[in-house]
Structure formats: C-alpha cells, structure tokens
Amino acid sequence: MSPDQTRSSSARAETPLTAAVMAGRWIRTAAVDDGRGRHWKANPDPRGRSALAAEPASLYAGAAGIVLFFLELAAATGHEAYLEDARAGARYLAATWRDQTDLSLYHGLTGTVFALAEAGWATGEEEFEEAARAAADRIVRGVRRLDDGLGWSRDPAQRGDGGIVLGLLHAAGILGVPAYEEVAVEAGRRIARLVVPGHRFGDCPGLPTDAVTPGFLSGTAGTAFLLARLYGVTGDGRFLEAARRGADFVRTVSVVTGGCAAVPHHVPQGRNLHYLGFCSGSAGVARMFCELHRVTGDRGDLDWAERLARGVMRSGIPRRRTDGYWNTVCQCCGTAGLVELFTGLWAVAGEERYLEFARTLAEDLIARATGHDDRGYRWYQAYRRLRPGEVTADTGYMVGAAGVGAALLHLDAAGLAGGPRRVVLLPDNPFPAIPVPAAALRRAAEGNG
C-alpha cells in the first residue's frame, strides 16, 4: 500500500520514505499538461518564486530531474501513479528535446538523454529509448575539432564538456551504442592533456578573475572524477595520471587538521571559505576521491574521502550554520547533497557512523519541510549564499523538492539489505546503485539461503 494512503496529509512525516511521498505530493500540484506531455512549474505556490530562470526541461531544475524522482518514488512505493507521472514527463522530454540548444549535463540536452534512457529502462517503452538515442546522436554530431582535440566547448568541468562526456559514457551502456563511448573517450583525451585538469579561473559571477576553483561542478575535483571514470572504462594510464594531477592539486590547497579536511571554495582569495555541499565543497570533492578508490583500489583515496566526511561531521551541522552551510537544503549546495555523500560513503566503507549521520541530516531536512496547507512538502531556502534574504522554494532536482526527495529515497534504500533496491544515480555519482555495503548484502543472502 502506498504511504499516500496510510498517513494524514497534515501529519509531519516520520521517515525518509513518507517525507519523499509528501514532496511528490507538492510537486504534483505544479504539473502542467499539454499536447507534448507534462512538465512542472518551478514553484506552484500562489505568487511563488523560483531560485532560477525558467528551465522547463533541465536535469538541474526542470522535467528531466523530476522524471528521475518519480521513477524512484514508483520503485520505492510500488505505486503505479508515480510511474505514470514519470511517463508523462518523459513524453514531454521526447517531444521537446530538439528545442534545447545547451548540450550540457545539468542544464541541457545531455541531462535529457540521461532521463529518457532511465525512463525507457524502467518502463520498457521504446519511444523513450529512441528519443534518447536521437538526442545523443545530436550531441555527438555537435562535437568540434578544437586546437588540441575534440570537444564541445573549452570548459573541461562538469558544467561543460566533462558532464557531456560522463553522460555519453552512461548512454553508451544503457542504450547499447558503443560509438558514444568512442567520442567520449576522445574528448576526454583532450581534457587529460591539461596541466591541471579542470583548473579554472574565475569566470563565474562574484569571483575574482584570477580565482581558481578546486570544487566539483566548475572545478578541478569534478574533472579529476571524470578522468578517473575514463581510466576505469579504458584502462588507459594517461587518464589516471591526469586524475592524480587533479587530486594532488586538491590535496595541496586543502586544510587538514586532526584527521579532517576541508576544501576552499576558491584560491587564493577564498582559502577560508569552505563549502560543505556538492557543487563546490566537501560533498562533491569526496566523490572524486571515492571514484579514484573505486577504479584503483587505493585505500589512500578512500581515506581522503573520509577525511572530508569527518570535517563535515565535526563542523557542528546541521544545527550549526557556517559560511559554507547556510540556509540551503538542496542537492547542489545544501543538506540533500550531504545526505547523498554519507549514504553513499556508508555503502562503500560500511562504517555505521556514516549512516547515522545521514539519518541525522535527514531528520533535519524533514523538520525543515513546509506542509501546512495540505499540499505536500516543499523546502524554502536561500539558494544563493550572497543573497540571504532571497528565500524561495523549487520543485526541481538539484535545487528543490525532487532532489531532496531523491536523497531521502536513497537513504530509505540503505536500510534494505534483505530486499535491496536499485536507486537512480547521476553519471557523476561514484557510489553503489544498491546503497548497501557488500558485506551486509552477503549476510542477508546467507540468512535467506
């Protein structure tokens, strides 16, 4: 039976699963159906505001990310209506992907390919896989011969070519088209030839022009993650060498004290500003070290991921607010991204303290939800750290309720060793798709044998 039918809509949710269901309820109020399928308003509240400009299809804030959330909610609850939500959104993506000019993973066509491929896999509907292949073909046709190799732009970070390469690697496997991997690997070779892969100067609003960003979405750590992934795919040591150069830079600029580590938002000016979230902080940088550990088996890489995790745990959050952990709950820069880190790290390392901390973070998320009007849960936050008075709620994945709900569903799946469930992980996530330590799965299997 669905949790929708067992809990009063006005009651405070007590578990990650029921909170995710309540998030789905609010997102449903934002549905817009037309002849192309279904997309969702960024914020359906009366006079509701969004943190971003309209991105109706994107993985970051639009239909692609919300489709992924409903796929997971259907798997977690067995509720067919959620699968129909995902189908309707996938139909919209299949009908509109040609309108997208941005090719990137989080804000463009590569994210649409990912969502369509996952929807096709989950529903068995060939039209979604066909649309995903057609869109991926367009991305491949868009690759250019640059001075130093193939690429789509000159940005090697996850927000640029790095994210496209990761998306094509995923598409090659799930859609069965080896040519996507060939293009991705060739584009990756250009990135690997950079002296410090992902070493970016400040080309973001608010950053000095000579700033260097070691973080994940727009910096060194995310690009090193990509190169480690390419090494795992190809076995080509040049990718590993380049990933190590990036990781060495991140270690060099990090602050290490008492077995803990923190990464500056940017250097040299922002050495004392340590984000904790995914985009530019510990939750994202730890993914890079986990990916290196996954493809090499080097315990030192996992040790660095755990140093970053200990730094987060000893920071005093979630009760304490810091300059790098402000009034934000989303996947990109807030609490949900940290839930992903600690749930995934538990599945990798098997340390119970990580799962307990993920639960502590989830309890804070649930407590901060707004649901007074019987329309489900949403989360109001100051998405931009430098604009603390600009408080909004959003439906999307990286910036809103869909991503918060997905993180809670991943935590819910972490407690299911006896009946494991696959979760949907984005292409830049190194953690197990069944978020349970291998030893716990073996014990469960032996107990059922």
Side-chain angles (χ1 to χ4, degrees):
M1 180 178 289
S2 163
D4 265 337
Q5 300 168 329
T6 61
R7 175 172 296 276
S8 166
S9 62
S10 62
R12 173 62 65 190
E14 297 174 353
T15 70
L17 178 58
T18 52
V21 167
M22 295 292 279
R25 178 175 294 170
W26 184 65
I27 294 168
R28 278 176 152 182
T29 69
V32 177
D33 291 303
D34 57 29
R36 301 170 297 176
R38 178 176 302 164
H39 63 282
W40 292 266
K41 297 177 183 176
N43 184 344
D45 289 346
R47 299 182 300 280
R49 298 175 57 206
S50 170
L52 299 172
E55 292 188 1
S58 78
L59 180 60
Y60 196 93
I66 294 173
V67 164
L68 298 179
F69 167 65
F70 278 121
L71 289 174
E72 294 208 71
L73 196 55
T77 64
H79 198 333
E80 180 67 24
Y82 297 134
L83 197 58
E84 182 51 40
D85 289 322
R87 284 193 186 97
R91 284 193 287 271
Y92 175 82
L93 295 174
T96 62
W97 66 263
R98 293 173 182 82
D99 300 334
Q100 294 182 263
T101 56
D102 185 327
L103 300 183
S104 68
L105 174 63
Y106 278 103
H107 297 281
L109 190 57
T110 302
T112 294
V113 171
F114 181 83
L116 283 168
E118 288 289 336
W121 188 90
T123 65
E125 296 194 21
E126 293 185 4
E127 67 173 293
F128 300 148
E129 294 186 359
E130 291 171 359
R133 289 190 188 95
D137 289 345
R138 176 179 155 193
I139 293 168
V140 168
R141 289 195 303 270
V143 75
R144 298 183 293 147
R145 176 66 62 178
L146 304 175
D147 293 342
D148 49 355
L150 293 183
W152 295 265
S153 70
R154 297 195 177 276
D155 188 347
Q158 298 281 26
R159 66 181 182 183
D161 287 7
I164 296 174
V165 170
L166 285 171
L168 287 177
L169 291 175
H170 175 271
I174 196 169
L175 298 174
V177 184
Y180 300 157
E181 181 180 310
E182 294 170 9
V183 173
V185 170
E186 187 62 30
R189 289 196 178 101
R190 180 183 68 85
I191 297 172
R193 287 192 287 269
L194 298 173
V195 176
V196 181
H199 198 68
R200 297 292 297 171
F201 290 89
D203 57 356
C204 296
L207 284 186
T209 56
D210 61 342
V212 179
T213 52
F216 202 78
L217 273 188
S218 59
T220 310
T223 308
F225 173 99
L226 162 71
L227 293 163
R229 175 66 55 85
L230 285 167
Y231 169 70
V233 169
T234 66
D236 187 337
R238 290 172 292 184
F239 288 124
L240 181 58
E241 291 170 7
R244 288 288 182 209
R245 292 199 302 273
D248 288 346
F249 171 75
V250 172
R251 279 193 289 262
T252 298
V253 301
S254 295
V255 176
V256 181
T257 54
C260 301
V263 180
H265 180 268
H266 60 280
V267 293
Q269 304 90 346
R271 288 189 180 276
N272 296 320
L273 175 58
H274 302 128
Y275 275 34
L276 300 185
F278 160 76
C279 59
S280 302
S282 299
V285 175
R287 290 190 183 196
M288 179 262 290
F289 286 111
C290 285
E291 181 70 5
L292 278 167
H293 174 259
R294 188 184 72 83
V295 299
T296 67
D298 189 328
R299 186 61 179 79
D301 294 315
L302 183 58
D303 176 67
W304 255 88
E306 293 188 273
R307 289 186 188 196
L308 290 160
R310 285 194 294 271
V312 173
M313 295 170 76
R314 294 182 188 177
S315 69
I317 73 163
R319 292 183 179 179
R320 178 173 177 253
R321 298 293 164 187
T322 71
D323 287 343
Y325 182 79
W326 61 100
N327 178 25
T328 181
V329 300
C330 62
Q331 283 267 359
C332 185
C333 48
T335 314
L338 286 162
V339 172
E340 294 280 11
L341 168 64
F342 284 95
T343 301
L345 197 55
W346 174 71
V348 171
E351 296 285 347
E352 193 67 22
R353 65 180 181 273
Y354 297 141
L355 184 60
E356 287 303 315
F357 194 69
R359 289 171 175 156
T360 296
L361 293 169
E363 289 171 2
D364 181 69
L365 271 178
I366 294 169
R368 295 182 65 190
T370 294
H372 62 280
D373 54 3
D374 201 35
R375 298 172 67 223
Y377 280 1
R378 77 227 67 166
W379 284 263
Y380 290 92
Q381 61 177 355
Y383 171 70
R384 292 176 174 84
R385 183 180 66 88
L386 297 178
R387 302 180 192 173
E390 189 178 279
V391 176
T392 60
D394 283 80
T395 55
Y397 196 97
M398 294 304 295
V399 73
V404 173
L408 294 172
L409 290 174
H410 297 169
L411 178 59
D412 173 71
L416 303 176
R421 181 176 83 237
R422 174 188 180 267
V423 300
V424 177
L425 301 180
L426 301 186
D428 58 11
N429 192 313
F431 300 124
I434 297 176
V436 179
L441 289 173
R442 285 195 295 270
R443 288 194 297 270
E446 291 166 0
N448 294 329

